[in-house]
Amino acid sequence: MKIGLVVAIIEEFQVLLDRLKCEVKLNEGPIAVYEYLLDGNTIYAVRSGAGEIYAAGAVQHLISAYNVDVILNFGIVGALTEETGLLLTCVVDKAVHYGFDITALEGGVPGQYSDCKDPYIETDRRLLSIAVSLGLKPVICASADVFVAKSEKKAELARLYGAEICEMESAGILLTAKRWGVPCLLIKAVSDTIFGGAEEYDRMERRAAEVCFEALMRVIEELGGKN
């Protein structure tokens, strides 16, 4: 299986570089693609940069240039509820792009695209079931190009969408993969709580990225056994 792996920021990607031996590094303009052979799979890994647009572009490149069979992502996230604790490893059941808003034109709710019945974008059901079977908690992710630091905003996102986590790439990754019919799964770990902000994020980002990477490896191992 050919796996496209999108990782947003250098702090997350460094964990990958530290843990796995790269077979080939391909420099393609602004994007460096790292090739790994693992558990019967070929993994093409890229660091997209933060935000929906960069993440979507990285997914598009992996699909167009490498014809990958699946898109995976791992990364750190903020918690939106008191029950969602530090270092919780979870898998995105569905995401909502709450920064997208055409309600003034078409009604509906913020995050809802014209061709969708609601604001939620589902991840691949088969991949989700594999992740859940490995003990990862399925969650709803609120995604937009915003670092959410204030607890009031976090609580608002939880209330509006039933979301437990927030971050800045899931919607772009999911929307692009789904448009091309490529199964997609997003694995996350909490780096800052509902009452935490940038300071807690800075303190916990490396450990949260390590925990998240370990969960990703369990999923990839399971995928290798199901080829």
Side-chain angles (χ1 to χ4, degrees):
M1 179 182 292
K2 293 189 291 186
I3 297 172
L5 177 61
V6 178
V7 186
I9 60 176
I10 186 59
E11 291 81 4
E12 296 162 342
F13 203 77
Q14 190 61 51
V15 175
L16 174 72
L17 297 178
D18 292 345
R19 297 291 187 89
L20 294 182
K21 180 182 177 182
C22 178
E23 303 294 333
V24 178
K25 180 181 178 182
L26 306 166
N27 290 302
E28 301 178 359
I31 297 179
V33 179
Y34 293 75
E35 182 179 319
Y36 299 90
L37 301 177
L38 185 66
D39 294 321
N41 303 296
T42 302
I43 301 173
Y44 299 101
V46 299
R47 178 169 67 88
S48 65
E52 309 288 0
I53 296 173
Y54 278 158
V59 172
Q60 183 67 67
H61 180 68
L62 289 170
I63 293 172
S64 298
Y66 295 96
N67 194 30
V68 295
D69 301 303
V70 63
I71 291 289
L72 299 182
N73 160 260
F74 82 94
I76 56 182
V77 298
L80 299 181
T81 69
E82 292 187 43
E83 296 76 21
T84 308
L86 279 176
L87 302 182
L88 171 72
T89 53
C90 49
V91 59
V92 176
D93 178 355
K94 50 191 175 182
V96 56
H97 188 193
Y98 68 91
F100 180 83
D101 188 347
I102 56 171
T103 55
L105 292 172
E106 300 186 6
V109 296
Q112 184 172 352
Y113 283 76
S114 298
D115 55 347
C116 298
K117 66 182 187 301
D118 58 41
Y120 300 104
I121 313 159
E122 289 188 343
T123 53
D124 182 76
R125 301 293 92 180
R126 173 180 171 271
L127 295 177
L128 177 67
S129 67
I130 290 173
V132 171
S133 74
L134 295 173
L136 299 182
K137 179 184 177 182
V139 298
I140 297 174
C141 175
S143 187
D145 286 325
V146 181
F147 182 88
V148 183
K150 294 184 178 180
S151 58
E152 296 83 1
K153 181 61 176 179
K154 291 182 177 183
E156 179 186 14
L157 290 172
R159 176 178 57 82
L160 289 174
Y161 300 108
E164 294 119 305
I165 62 171
C166 65
E167 50 83 91
M168 299 174 61
E169 292 82 32
S170 287
I173 293 170
L174 263 176
L175 284 167
T176 307
K178 286 178 76 70
R179 173 157 284 190
W180 288 96
V182 177
C184 181
L185 189 71
L186 310 141
I187 299 166
K188 304 294 183 180
V190 174
S191 61
D192 51 292
T193 63
I194 185 172
F195 300 113
E199 183 178 338
E200 186 174 54
Y201 171 91
D202 287 339
R203 187 174 72 252
M204 297 300 299
E205 64 178 351
R206 173 70 189 198
R207 181 56 187 144
E210 290 174 339
V211 167
C212 196
F213 178 80
E214 290 162 6
L216 171 77
M217 289 297 99
R218 296 201 304 272
V219 170
I220 291 176
E221 181 179 4
E222 186 72 8
L223 286 176
K226 292 182 180 298
N227 282 346

